[in-house]
């Protein structure tokens, strides 16, 4: 457990974030197609190679989360991704859930699957070099949802996943995401986020999961995208910390927020405001889209534009590092870079 506690502390260290580049094959294909890039295995591989080999990435990221396909692929120089990441000073993470599927008896709600055979898969991933894993549960806010049935099913699965990770010597990133899509208010997001968190930690306690060897990856508390509610970063930060302060035990290794579809700039601005608040746990970022979207757009699937894609990723990682230091200035966003 000592090694896992150390890994968890590394993942949430105050001067690094975690890069989430673990989109499933179908999600990645959608993102490639939307960027005008053919949805092919080689493009998914080349895109991830561009990301992880970004110069100086390990100065801004402690680790990178990949999906099963990438974990088994190789860089052009022949090294397997986890092996190359170790050389680059990055911890290798693996998404191990198999996606959200309709939850029986709960129309419109999902439960994240992937527990069957997970013990064996985790053992294999550990052998391939995984230091940490990720499992994402998704909750939509709507009329009468999320239901207690869905909250209980998803948080129970997260606790079983966390327990199995520890058995395999892998640090679990525990990700309960309350989606920002919809007309719900900031208050509703806050109430649902706190209720999901409370249920999650009750399940984790029941499973006797060592909290100093897990990383919580939640949403920030924001109003729904169609709510029309204008909320500034200080209110978002205050409401986010409020939602978690009586819910997340102090022993928890730390919190790494997801971006959830916020613009790169909004995510960095909100993170900077969050870091200004004193909290019992370390706070950092584990963004996907808010880090990689500009890189994908700059790259365009063109081998001749790899350096442009890497500059775009370096820029967004550096913006969020500035946010961690409390000194992010959106007006200067373009000037930030790693190294
Ligand atoms: P976003 O930051 O794009 O929400 O992605 C984070 C993630 O890991 C989703 O599972």
């Amino acid at each position: 457990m000592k090694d896992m506690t150390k890994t968890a502390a590394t993942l949430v260290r105050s001067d690094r974030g975690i890069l989430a580049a673990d989109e499933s094959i179908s999600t990645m294909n959608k993102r490639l197609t939307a960027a005008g890039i053919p949805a092919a295995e080689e493009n998914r591989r080349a895109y991830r190679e561009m990301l992880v080999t970004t110069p100086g990435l390990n100065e801004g990221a402690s680790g990178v989360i990949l999906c099963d396909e990438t974990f088994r692929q190789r860089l052009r120089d022949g090294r397997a991704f986890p092996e190359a990441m170790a050389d680059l000073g990055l911890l290798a993470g693996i998404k191990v859930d198999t996606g959200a599927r309709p939850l029986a008896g709960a129309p419109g709600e999902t439960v994240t699957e992937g527990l069957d055979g997970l013990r064996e898969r985790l053992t294999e991933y550990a052998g391939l070099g995984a230091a940490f894993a990720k499992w994402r549960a998704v909750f939509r806010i709507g009329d009468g949802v999320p239901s207690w049935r869905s909250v209980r099913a998803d948080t129970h699965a997260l606790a079983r996943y966390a327990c199995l990770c520890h058995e395999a010597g892998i640090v679990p990133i525990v990700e309960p995401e309350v989606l920002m899509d919809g007309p719900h208010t900031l208050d509703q997001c806050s109430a649902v986020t706190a209720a999901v968190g409370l249920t999650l930690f009750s399940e984790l306690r029941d499973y006797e999961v060592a909290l100093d060897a897990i990383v919580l990856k939640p949403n920030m508390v924001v109003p729904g995208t169609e709510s029309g509610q204008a909320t500034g970063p200080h209110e978002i930060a205050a409401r986010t910390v409020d939602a978690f302060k009586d819910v997340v035990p102090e022993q928890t290794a730390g919190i790494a927020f997801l971006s959830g579809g916020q613009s790169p700039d909004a995510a960095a601005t909100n993170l900077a405001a969050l870091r200004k608040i004193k909290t019992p746990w370390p706070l950092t970022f584990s963004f996907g889209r808010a880090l990689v979207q500009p890189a994908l757009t700059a790259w365009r699937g063109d081998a001749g534009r790899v350096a442009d894609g890497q500059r775009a990723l370096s820029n967004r990682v550096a913006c969020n590092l500035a946010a961690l230091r409390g000194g992010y200035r959106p007006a200067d966003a373009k000037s930030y870079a790693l190294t």
Side-chain angles (χ1 to χ4, degrees):
M1 195 55 74
K2 226 170 88 207
D3 286 352
M4 285 187 280
T5 308
K6 232 170 98 190
T7 301
T10 302
L11 286 169
V12 293
R13 54 184 278 187
S14 63
D15 55 354
R16 297 286 189 279
I18 303 166
L19 169 60
D22 60 322
E23 300 88 346
S24 65
I25 292 176
S26 64
T27 303
M28 194 63 241
N29 282 347
K30 279 187 213 134
R31 301 222 170 123
L32 288 172
T33 306
I37 304 164
E41 179 181 345
E42 172 50 23
N43 285 337
R44 296 191 297 272
R45 190 206 65 75
Y47 170 62
R48 268 58 174 259
E49 173 162 348
M50 171 186 76
L51 296 178
V52 303
T53 58
T54 292
L57 184 62
N58 73 339
E59 289 167 29
S62 53
V64 182
I65 320 172
L66 300 173
C67 69
D68 179 81
E69 180 186 57
T70 319
F71 222 73
R72 299 174 193 282
Q73 287 173 326
R74 292 179 180 272
L75 272 62
R76 269 184 318 154
D77 64 14
R79 284 176 301 169
F81 268 82
E83 182 194 344
M85 284 163 64
D87 294 344
L88 292 162
L90 296 162
L91 292 171
I94 175 78
K95 188 246 297 291
V96 299
D97 67 69
T98 56
R101 301 265 153 31
L103 175 64
E109 295 191 280
T110 60
V111 63
T112 297
E113 297 188 342
L115 286 170
D116 288 354
L118 182 58
R119 174 176 281 125
E120 292 73 21
R121 288 195 291 128
L122 285 167
T123 306
E124 188 195 358
Y125 288 135
L128 291 172
F132 68 104
K134 179 191 116 170
W135 179 292
R136 172 176 176 255
V138 199
F139 304 96
R140 184 176 63 82
I141 300 180
D143 223 3
V145 299
S147 63
W148 277 113
R149 180 190 307 216
S150 101
V151 173
R152 280 204 305 267
D154 259 328
T155 55
H156 178 80
L158 276 167
R160 285 182 60 194
Y161 143 79
C163 228
L164 283 164
C165 282
H166 282 168
E167 224 184 74
I170 289 178
V171 170
I173 290 190
V174 174
E175 180 176 357
E177 175 172 6
V178 178
L179 296 174
M180 56 188 253
D181 315 70
H184 57 270
T185 61
L186 183 73
D187 283 346
Q188 283 173 295
C189 180
S190 164
V192 172
T193 301
V196 167
L198 211 54
T199 317
L200 172 62
F201 279 93
S202 147
E203 290 286 347
L204 291 169
R205 250 191 317 275
D206 286 352
Y207 277 81
E208 298 177 14
V209 172
L211 299 180
D212 59 357
I214 71 162
V215 173
L216 179 69
K217 175 166 170 167
N219 52 287
M220 297 178 193
V221 171
V222 293
T225 44
E226 291 142 44
S227 66
Q229 222 180 334
T231 313
H234 299 295
E235 190 173 5
I236 286 173
R239 295 298 299 268
T240 301
V241 172
D242 264 0
F244 292 117
K245 73 174 190 303
D246 297 326
V247 165
V248 181
E250 264 181 50
Q251 319 81 284
T252 306
I255 298 183
F257 287 98
L258 57 87
S259 62
Q262 298 182 60
S263 71
D265 196 56
T269 306
N270 291 334
L271 180 68
L274 273 161
R275 285 280 293 215
K276 294 216 166 85
I277 303 176
K278 197 170 162 354
T279 55
W281 352 260
L283 293 188
T284 188
F285 62 95
S286 175
F287 296 160
R289 285 161 286 179
L291 291 177
V292 300
Q293 197 55 47
L296 180 61
T297 310
W299 173 55
R300 296 193 216 141
D302 177 349
R305 297 180 60 93
V306 166
D308 299 280
Q310 292 183 329
R311 258 193 300 279
L313 177 63
S314 167
N315 170 247
R316 285 323 310 177
V317 174
C319 286
N320 286 290
L321 280 194
L324 291 182
R325 290 189 214 105
Y328 176 61
R329 287 189 306 274
D332 298 339
K334 284 200 167 56
S335 68
Y336 292 100
L338 296 169
T339 59

